[in-house]
Amino acid sequence: MHHDYRNELNEKQYEAVTAIDGPTLIIAGAGSGKTRVITYRIAYMLDSGFPSHRFLP
């Protein structure tokens, strides 16, 4: 299942979700969508063919 990431996330969330070339630190206030970014980032990585066994070292 593919998502329309560009339209489902705001600009900063989209930037964090699509930056999969290395680790990303997400710092934000309450209710800003941190959990959404993390779950969408995982989905984006899977959609992009990133091997799931490489999610954690």
Side-chain angles (χ1 to χ4, degrees):
M1 176 173 161
H2 293 275
H3 295 276
D4 185 2
Y5 298 99
R6 178 69 75 183
N7 289 319
E8 294 181 27
L9 302 165
N10 68 36
E11 181 181 335
K12 291 296 184 183
Q13 289 172 334
Y14 180 79
E15 186 178 316
V17 165
T18 58
I20 61 172
D21 291 333
T24 300
L25 177 63
I26 299 170
I27 301 174
S32 61
K34 294 178 297 295
T35 302
R36 181 181 183 102
V37 166
I38 292 167
T39 56
Y40 273 63
R41 183 175 165 89
I42 292 168
Y44 182 82
M45 291 169 85
L46 291 171
D47 286 348
S48 298
F50 194 88
S52 60
H53 69 275
R54 294 190 59 211
F55 277 48
L56 296 173

